[in-house]
């Protein structure tokens, strides 16, 4: 299949992404005024969302990253998660906001919340650009959500299919 043939309908336009990211940044700035905010980006998919969100924040903020791999197929996670890269710094007593590209089953995030929660941050919340409510398998508190999308495999604005399409300016459905 030719590469461009895999890009299906647009799920979230570049304009809607830009507007919503600014709204989320305003909410986060208000909620974290006077706190000790650390954004924890989940590599690699969250990088685009994270960098746009962080630049729009108006409160002091630090940045750290985690990389995790969930065992499973290219389009489905198993919930068994392996840490590929851990945080550089301790988060005990700090206000941690996990920044994720997409919450699908929620299994990856459930693991991250348990793992980071065990390090005794003062607070621990989630900011996810996209959620797929139909696919959710576990109850999770996602304090900030950009968009709810239908049960389609999404690509673009950081989201990949086999490492490609992350550089699209919009979020599209993968044609499969
Ligand atoms: P979960 O554990 O099922 O919630 O899956 C979470 C991870 O799977 C996300 O952080 C993504 O890396 C990946 N993922 C889930 N759904 C999609 C999708 O529609 N497009 C691209 N990646 C996805
Ligand atoms: Mg991810």
């Amino acid at each position: 299949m030719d590469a461009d043939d895999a890009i299906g309908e647009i799920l979230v336009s570049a304009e809607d992404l830009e507007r919503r990211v600014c709204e989320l940044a305003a909410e986060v700035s208000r909620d974290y005024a006077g706190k000790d905010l650390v954004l924890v980006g989940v590599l690699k998919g969250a990088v685009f969302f994270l960098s746009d969100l962080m630049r729009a924040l108006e409160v002091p903020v630090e940045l750290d990253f985690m990389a995790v791999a969930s065992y499973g197929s290219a389009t489905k996670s198993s919930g068994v998660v392996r840490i590929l890269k851990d945080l550089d710094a301790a988060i005990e007593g700090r206000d941690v906001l996990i920044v994720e590209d997409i919450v699908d089953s929620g299994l990856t995030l459930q693991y991250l919340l348990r793992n980071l929660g065990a390090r005794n941050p003062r607070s621990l919340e989630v900011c996810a650009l996209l959620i797929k409510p139909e696919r959710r398998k576990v109850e999770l508190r996602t304090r900030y959500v950009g968009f709810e999308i239908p049960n389609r495999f999404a690509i673009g604005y950081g989201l990949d299919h086999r490492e490609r399409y992350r550089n699209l300016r919009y979020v599209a459905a993968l044609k499969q």
Side-chain angles (χ1 to χ4, degrees), residues 116-127:
L116 297 183
R119 305 180 196 192
N120 300 315
R122 182 164 58 200
S123 65
L124 180 61
E125 300 288 350
V126 173
C127 180

Side-chain angles (χ1 to χ4, degrees), residues 42-46 100-102:
V42 184
L43 296 172
K44 305 168 199 171
E100 251 290 30
D101 49 1
I102 188 163

Side-chain angles (χ1 to χ4, degrees), residues 68-74 76-84 107-108:
V68 295
S70 76
Y71 294 100
S73 65
K76 219 189 237 151
S77 88
S78 63
V80 183
V81 175
R82 188 162 51 107
I83 294 183
L84 303 178
L107 291 166
T108 304

